[in-house]
Amino acid sequence: IFDPLDLWNGPRITIPPRVDDGNDTAHTDKERRAAVRSAMRHAWEGYHQHAFGHDELLPVSNKSNDKWGGWGVTLIDALDTLYIMELYDEFDQGVTHAVNVDFAKAKKGYTTPFFEMIIRSLAGLLTAYEMSLDRRLLDKAEQVGNVLLPAFNTSTGIPYPRVDVNAGQAVPANRVCLAEAGTVQLEYWKLSELTGNSIYHNAAQRVVDILDETEKPYPGLYPIWIDIESGNLTSGQITFGGQGDSWYEYMLKQYIFSHKKVDQYRR
């Protein structure tokens, strides 16, 4: 697994533990970590008891919803956190459910948000796989990557924002925001790396290539709306907030992930 710190030639910086005498609830880093871990276990137990397998827990009513199509998004997005916190029994519970989800199906009438499910479901499965090396998680990640791939079936390759996974096709639209189109590249790149299938990276990279070449009002700054059929930037609004923020985040991360060899991402 590529670690960006492998490229860092400077000194390793260790921050010594510091006791906050004004905090009477946790006097050591160890106690703080234990408190955070306990909070995560509490959250998981509530989800497991009242909403297991569903997308979200409604904590006031102790009910659940499937507002993301019924894939169990909370569970999948939490797998890596459970593993990092060494909550292995809870992790195994989540994996047992996740590997039995058919990601080619969603709640009837639901259209899946392409970007949201890339960063939650695909990313969650990929990260859980890299931590545990449970091949079943990679197989499920590949299924998610495949069912969302029709989003790229446009004349330019700029993706549609939603996919009808039940029908196996994208939902036509005229425009997509910058963050939706430009915040899927890392996950698809990693999926190509782990499966050896370049189709995922190639599809996502085409978006970067188009936006790199399109006319922009200022170098390195991108208006937030993209015309899907032309690939042109159609809005004068530029923001590092919602609808634009994660495009810039992902360009930086891809530059680091490429070992700083792809100057396109730096630009």
Side-chain angles (χ1 to χ4, degrees):
I1 302 172
F2 169 63
D3 182 351
L5 287 178
D6 290 342
L7 304 176
W8 173 245
N9 295 320
R12 300 294 183 184
I13 300 173
T14 301
I15 301 175
R18 184 177 64 181
V19 174
D20 181 358
D21 292 329
N23 183 348
D24 60 1
T25 60
H27 288 284
T28 67
D29 284 351
K30 183 176 181 180
E31 289 172 345
R32 291 187 178 100
R33 286 194 297 269
V36 172
R37 188 171 184 264
S38 177
M40 179 62 185
R41 175 174 277 141
H42 170 77
W44 176 262
E45 288 175 352
Y47 172 77
H48 188 268
Q49 180 177 352
H50 300 291
F52 190 77
H54 294 282
D55 286 333
E56 292 181 342
L57 166 69
L58 304 177
V60 175
S61 63
N62 284 335
K63 295 182 179 179
S64 63
N65 69 42
D66 286 321
K67 65 178 291 185
W68 298 99
W71 285 359
V73 172
T74 290
L75 181 153
I76 293 167
D77 207 10
L79 288 175
D80 56 349
T81 304
L82 293 170
Y83 199 93
I84 289 169
M85 293 187 176
E86 299 180 351
L87 297 171
Y88 298 126
D89 290 341
E90 292 82 353
F91 176 81
D92 289 342
Q93 291 170 355
V95 169
T96 299
H97 176 81
V99 299
N100 286 297
V101 174
D102 184 356
F103 293 100
K105 297 179 180 177
K107 187 171 61 175
K108 184 178 180 180
Y110 182 76
T111 57
T112 300
F114 174 61
F115 149 72
E116 295 285 358
M117 289 303 100
I118 292 290
I119 68 170
R120 302 177 196 280
S121 296
L122 180 55
L125 290 164
L126 287 171
T127 309
Y129 166 70
E130 287 205 295
M131 290 181 173
S132 67
L133 297 180
D134 186 329
R135 175 72 199 201
R136 298 174 299 168
L137 293 168
L138 180 57
D139 292 340
K140 284 298 175 180
E142 190 168 16
Q143 185 186 28
V144 173
N146 286 332
V147 300
L148 296 178
L149 206 58
F152 292 108
N153 292 340
T154 65
S155 60
T156 57
I158 298 292
Y160 289 126
R162 302 189 78 90
V163 177
D164 184 342
V165 299
N166 294 318
Q169 60 188 27
V171 179
N174 295 322
R175 67 177 189 171
V176 63
C177 79
L178 179 65
E180 288 178 305
T183 312
V184 301
Q185 285 70 25
L186 280 171
E187 289 83 359
Y188 268 133
W189 189 350
K190 175 56 71 172
L191 185 59
S192 284
E193 180 183 276
L194 293 174
T195 63
N197 188 344
S198 63
I199 187 174
Y200 309 113
H201 174 60
N202 291 343
Q205 176 61 33
R206 179 163 173 74
V207 177
V208 179
D209 294 338
I210 292 171
L211 295 181
D212 188 23
E213 296 171 1
T214 195
E215 184 178 351
K216 295 169 280 291
Y218 305 99
L221 295 177
Y222 295 75
I224 59 173
W225 289 107
I226 309 165
D227 182 88
I228 292 173
E229 295 308 310
S230 70
N232 295 329
L233 298 164
T234 61
S235 165
Q237 181 182 358
I238 297 171
T239 179
F240 295 135
Q243 300 182 317
D245 49 358
S246 51
W247 159 259
Y248 302 98
E249 171 198 341
Y250 268 44
M251 288 305 102
L252 173 60
K253 288 179 176 178
Q254 286 181 97
Y255 181 58
I256 295 170
F257 189 70
S258 72
H259 294 250
K260 300 183 180 180
K261 293 180 179 179
V262 181
D263 193 61
Q264 179 189 47
Y265 304 135
R266 182 193 63 80
R267 295 199 313 270

